Amino acid sequence: MMLAVAQVKKEDLATKNTKSPGAETSVTVNGKNIWIYYHAPSVRSRQIFGDVGALEPYGKVWRLGADYATVLHTAADLDLNGLAIPKGDYTLYADLDNGQWKLIVNKALMAGGRHIWGVGVSPDGIQEGATTNDPATELGRASLTMGKPSSPVETLKITLSDAGGAKGKLLIEWENVTASAPFTVK
């Protein structure tokens, strides 16, 4: 398993999964570029978040997308809602703690010669969910502010935006849920 050391190449994260295509969001804040690359699944008449029977039940860790783990790149040190994140590359997960989510920032990027698949078992049979519960690979967790969109969001959308000065915002929207956190570029 490789910890965050070199910049990830976004093209290496692309898959051929048309049901969860690759997507990215980026922003330049205080002259520094920050981006997130993820795979965006759609609701497709499923219950996504909730109790038993939901695709992503409460009390579980979610890979914050589909396919390969979601990747954050930051060209500057960040403070994400109280969590210090040194410049570099990380994988992101969400702890769906009974609807009070926490963003997990993980230093593990690779499993052997390829990117971490996310939570669970990858297509080549490697069990990778343990990376999200291994304190040795986790940078930390930041609380997210929960809300509801004005209308259901069919396809997962992650947005980074500039909030003026050295401040920005991370917003996650899918199904009937929004989760957000402020960040500051150091």
Side-chain angles (χ1 to χ4, degrees):
M1 180 179 332
M2 184 167 120
L3 300 182
V5 290
Q7 183 171 343
V8 171
K9 295 178 185 163
K10 291 179 247 182
E11 59 271 14
D12 292 344
L13 297 169
T15 68
K16 294 179 178 154
N17 182 358
T18 57
K19 290 185 178 180
S20 299
E24 73 177 276
T25 180
S26 66
V27 67
T28 299
V29 175
N30 215 21
K32 301 295 183 178
N33 186 253
I34 303 156
W35 56 257
I36 295 175
Y37 188 93
Y38 62 103
H39 290 88
S42 295
V43 173
R44 297 191 318 269
S45 300
R46 302 175 291 181
Q47 178 189 358
I48 304 301
F49 303 111
D51 293 318
V52 178
L55 182 65
E56 301 298 338
Y58 295 141
K60 181 180 161 184
V61 171
W62 171 44
R63 74 179 94 185
L64 202 58
D67 299 338
Y68 290 123
T70 294
V71 173
L72 163 70
H73 168 79
T74 176
D77 295 347
L78 301 177
D79 178 302
L80 179 73
N81 206 18
L83 175 63
I85 303 174
K87 69 180 178 178
D89 294 318
Y90 302 91
T91 50
L92 300 177
Y93 302 87
D95 178 351
L96 308 181
D97 186 16
N98 294 313
Q100 296 301 310
W101 296 8
K102 291 176 189 65
L103 185 72
I104 301 170
V105 179
N106 198 298
K107 299 177 283 189
L109 296 171
M110 306 290 285
R114 60 162 185 72
H115 290 284
I116 296 252
W117 188 253
V119 177
V121 179
S122 66
D124 56 5
I126 297 173
Q127 175 71 35
E128 295 177 341
T131 62
T132 60
N133 292 312
D134 180 355
T137 64
E138 207 172 280
L139 180 69
R141 297 178 182 216
S143 293
L144 297 170
T145 300
M146 304 306 297
K148 292 191 176 283
S150 57
S151 61
V153 178
E154 175 64 24
T155 302
L156 172 66
K157 184 175 183 183
I158 301 175
T159 308
L160 292 168
S161 60
D162 187 336
K167 298 193 178 298
K169 181 179 177 182
L170 164 67
L171 175 63
I172 302 160
E173 304 170 278
W174 197 26
E175 192 194 30
N176 296 312
V177 175
T178 64
S180 63
F183 65 86
T184 303
V185 173
K186 299 292 181 179

